[in-house]
Amino acid sequence: MKTKTLSRIFASGLILALMSGCSAPAATPPASSGSETTPPATETPIEEEGYSLPIVKEPITLKFMTRESEYPGTSFNTTTPLIWQEFEKNTGIHIEFEAMPTAELTEAVQLRLAAKSDVPDMIQIPGAQDGSYLSRYLNDGVIVPLNDYIDQYGTNIKKIFEAYPDYEKSLTLPDGSIAGFGNVRASQYGFRCQMIRQDWLDKLGLPMPTTPEELLETALAFAENDMNGNGQADEIGMSGYGTQWKEIGHAWGLHFVTGDGWDVEDGKIVFESITPAYQDFLRFLKKCVDSGAFPADWQSCDKETHLARVSNSQVGLFVRSPALDALNYLDPSQSMKQAIPEADWRVVPALDGPYGKGIFVKEPIAQLSRTVVVTSANKYPAETVKWLDYVIFSEEGVRYNQYGVEGLNYKIEDGKVIKTPSEWDDNKPQADGSWLGIGDYMPSVYTNESDEAVFAHLNLGEDNPALLSIQACWPTVEEPFVPPIPTVEDGKRVSALMADIKTYVDEMFYQFLNGEADIDKDFDKYVEQLESIGLNEVIGIYQSAYDARETK
């Protein structure tokens, strides 16, 4: 019925075996943070034929259009970050940034690629997870297929494809082309869940919830008692914002929010927002609203309000959180531990719903909502693919992107990466304006090992309760179904139809829960309206693409 359950696909040390394609000298902190081209490092042959470091004998410059840094006081446009200076030192390739906020970037990419004017060498394109924009831009001739370059130079890319075949499958367009790279999300820690305060459960003598009804009862108990001890009735039963409430649907086997409500059952594409399970799930959410388990402003509550309530110890249960936050909240340097030192956060296990055992949905193996592409304006496509192979997929590239610089941000002990306290942490700018540059600004490879390195410095031990609460969920974590990348024409049709479909589904979600529409009397009309908008056509397009992909 469901997509396949995520097995333990990453063993300790696999990243070293997969990504040993190239190596570079150990990095040292720079004396200055300017963007001058640094001399190439001494050439170091790689283990397999493909390329060596430095990639070029004479320095070259690539123009890169990407999203701007989200950290106050930092900008790719004014200061080359530390790890990008290391990339340049090791490869001989200088990156000239044109960075802008995501909203501006989306518009600029669309306008320039449509006009085929002022196009840089590489672009980090924000787009839909279905990847339809890749087919469109490749068909327009403004980005280039990468298959031949990967075959000849993609030493580390090919190892990742071999280790994670679904990643390669997800990147592949209907004509067989690969036109961009997104994050590799292979970690079992990469799922969303409900998070609960164990110390609040203990205070009331309550067990961990195991069903949706028990979750509701627990939320009401939190809301009805002075859990934070301030003498005020300010506790929230369950907290969330936007469409996060749909995350509870995992107890019904539904693939919201990460899975976007699509699934494949016995080879057939299913849009879960029209199923009997979804209707029954809505009934449960309506009960949560009517009972007061949700905050009064559940429809309008934003992220900032939600986080403020959590930090003020008004919340003991929130409906959607990264599972790893249960460990991040143990870090004394993080704001949660500083604000509520007594808080003991745990992952709520998969809830047994009326349709069987509940699930968790991890992030898709290939993140297509933000990919890096090579444009047809690029005079150095081969060198660019070598650079991408090194920066995104090599061992050094992964460590630079996720941890920083060895000796400065992390150390290696017994073959494992352990982050160390550093004034360069969190991309905070230094006095001279220099900054680290780590984070989701380039695709990277996320595995169990890379996630475990983030909390290794806490020395939690294998029997840590918060850690065990995460690992206990792994047997029920599923890879979401992501529809295959459609053809250009199909992609245009799907985009047009899904805009109206999504709008209507979201509108009716709120109407069903606030009582403007009756879940039992009006659900069939709701389904009929979706079909009239064109839902069956979208399902047909996805079904044809899925069948074609699976028979290759």
Side-chain angles (χ1 to χ4, degrees):
M1 176 179 174
K2 306 293 191 304
T3 51
K4 61 184 179 182
T5 300
L6 181 69
S7 61
R8 182 153 194 168
I9 55 177
F10 190 84
S12 177
L14 179 58
I15 192 172
L16 302 179
L18 289 175
M19 296 184 288
S20 58
C22 54
S23 58
T28 54
S32 67
S33 59
S35 59
E36 297 85 0
T37 301
T38 55
T42 303
E43 183 166 325
T44 305
I46 62 174
E47 293 181 1
E48 296 184 19
E49 182 179 356
Y51 63 95
S52 58
L53 297 178
I55 292 171
V56 293
K57 294 183 178 179
E58 297 295 331
I60 63 172
T61 294
L62 297 176
K63 295 182 179 180
F64 183 31
M65 190 177 185
T66 186
R67 68 188 182 102
E68 180 58 288
S69 169
E70 298 174 345
Y71 293 84
T74 62
S75 172
F76 286 103
N77 295 323
T78 58
T79 309
T80 301
L82 176 57
I83 68 166
W84 290 79
Q85 294 179 43
E86 296 298 327
F87 291 152
E88 182 173 343
K89 181 190 303 182
N90 296 339
T91 66
I93 296 176
H94 173 66
I95 301 299
E96 180 181 317
F97 291 98
E98 183 181 2
M100 57 192 74
T102 299
E104 295 178 23
L105 176 64
T106 300
E107 182 178 5
V109 168
Q110 293 172 347
L111 292 174
R112 291 198 206 173
L113 293 187
K116 300 183 180 180
S117 174
D118 195 19
V119 177
D121 300 304
M122 291 188 299
I123 306 176
Q124 184 191 59
I125 302 184
Q129 178 61 31
D130 70 3
S132 57
Y133 62 94
L134 293 171
S135 291
R136 183 171 71 255
Y137 291 138
L138 185 65
N139 184 70
D140 291 344
V142 290
I143 63 176
V144 299
L146 306 176
N147 303 57
D148 290 343
Y149 299 110
I150 294 171
D151 289 343
Q152 189 168 359
Y153 307 116
T155 305
N156 296 294
I157 298 170
K158 288 183 287 188
K159 290 179 180 179
I160 291 298
F161 284 175
E162 181 179 354
Y164 308 111
D166 283 347
Y167 178 71
E168 179 181 12
K169 183 186 293 185
S170 297
L171 295 178
T172 303
L173 306 184
D175 67 355
S177 299
I178 292 175
F181 302 116
N183 281 320
V184 183
R185 296 288 187 180
S187 173
Q188 290 171 286
Y189 293 96
F191 65 95
R192 299 297 193 269
C193 59
Q194 283 82 59
M195 196 81 74
I196 196 166
R197 282 185 62 170
Q198 181 66 48
D199 56 308
W200 280 19
L201 289 175
D202 294 341
K203 186 175 183 179
L204 296 178
L206 294 175
M208 179 69 73
T210 60
T211 68
E213 290 297 334
E214 290 179 5
L215 188 77
L216 174 56
E217 292 170 3
T218 301
L220 291 173
F222 287 171
E224 294 167 357
N225 287 276
D226 186 16
M227 302 306 303
N228 55 27
N230 66 357
Q232 303 177 28
D234 59 354
E235 284 78 5
I236 303 294
M238 285 189 243
S239 185
Y241 58 91
T243 60
Q244 287 191 337
W245 313 104
K246 288 187 176 183
E247 195 81 17
I248 305 173
H250 293 171
W252 280 257
L254 300 170
H255 298 75
F256 305 120
V257 171
T258 305
D260 211 24
W262 288 98
D263 195 17
V264 58
E265 298 181 3
D266 299 324
K268 300 298 181 183
I269 305 299
V270 176
F271 185 63
E272 294 177 328
S273 293
I274 62 172
T275 62
Y278 180 67
Q279 183 181 20
D280 191 66
F281 170 51
L282 290 174
R283 295 188 188 104
F284 174 77
L285 291 184
K286 181 78 165 59
K287 187 186 296 186
C288 292
V289 172
D290 293 344
S291 66
F294 286 3
D297 61 351
W298 70 273
Q299 293 185 74
S300 58
C301 181
D302 57 20
K303 181 179 180 180
E304 288 70 27
T305 301
H306 162 73
L307 293 178
R309 288 169 173 168
V310 173
S311 297
N312 290 335
S313 197
Q314 296 174 258
V315 175
L317 171 61
F318 42 91
V319 296
R320 188 172 195 263
S321 172
L324 269 178
D325 277 356
L327 305 182
N328 293 332
Y329 293 159
L330 297 174
D331 191 336
S333 68
Q334 299 299 313
S335 59
M336 178 66 77
K337 192 65 174 177
Q338 295 171 358
I340 323 173
E342 73 276 11
D344 182 8
W345 291 97
R346 306 283 176 84
V347 171
V348 177
L351 302 174
D352 294 329
Y355 285 76
K357 185 69 177 177
I359 60 172
F360 294 102
V361 181
K362 72 175 288 291
E363 296 175 338
I365 185 70
Q367 185 180 7
L368 300 181
S369 56
R370 191 184 299 130
T371 56
V372 172
V373 301
V374 179
T375 73
S376 55
N378 191 319
K379 297 180 181 178
Y380 307 101
E383 290 82 358
T384 302
V385 172
K386 294 175 186 177
W387 185 87
L388 292 170
D389 182 89
Y390 170 71
V391 169
I392 299 175
F393 299 102
S394 75
E395 179 186 346
E396 279 103 10
V398 168
R399 288 180 175 175
Y400 279 130
N401 274 312
Q402 296 184 27
Y403 315 128
V405 179
E406 184 176 0
L408 190 65
N409 306 101
Y410 70 90
K411 59 184 177 180
I412 305 292
E413 288 187 359
D414 299 325
K416 293 184 177 181
V417 176
I418 299 178
K419 294 198 72 175
T420 55
S422 170
E423 62 180 5
W424 288 86
D425 279 351
D426 299 326
N427 288 332
K428 295 176 183 177
Q430 305 294 296
D432 62 356
S434 58
W435 58 296
L436 196 58
I438 63 172
D440 196 17
Y441 296 103
M442 280 292 288
S444 191
V445 182
Y446 294 89
T447 62
N448 283 16
E449 184 180 66
S450 64
D451 278 343
E452 287 166 356
V454 175
F455 59 84
H457 67 287
L458 298 176
N459 298 314
L460 298 178
E462 295 181 354
D463 59 349
N464 177 269
L467 176 60
L468 291 175
S469 77
I470 297 174
Q471 295 174 343
C473 297
W474 285 353
T476 52
V477 175
E478 291 188 3
E479 184 79 30
F481 170 73
V482 178
I485 299 174
T487 64
V488 176
E489 292 306 316
D490 284 346
K492 291 178 180 178
R493 187 62 178 157
V494 166
S495 296
L497 292 174
M498 282 306 299
D500 293 335
I501 289 169
K502 186 179 186 306
T503 297
Y504 183 65
V505 168
D506 290 345
E507 288 175 353
M508 291 305 298
F509 174 78
Y510 291 107
Q511 288 187 30
F512 282 135
L513 267 59
N514 64 29
E516 293 179 34
D518 189 284
I519 296 172
D520 293 308
K521 295 179 180 179
D522 298 328
F523 193 80
D524 288 345
K525 296 177 184 178
Y526 154 77
V527 174
E528 291 171 1
Q529 180 63 22
L530 285 172
E531 291 174 346
S532 70
I533 293 173
L535 175 60
N536 289 337
E537 184 179 351
V538 174
I539 292 174
I541 290 172
Y542 282 160
Q543 187 70 57
S544 297
Y546 172 77
D547 292 343
R549 186 180 70 180
E550 294 304 304
T551 55
K552 286 184 179 179

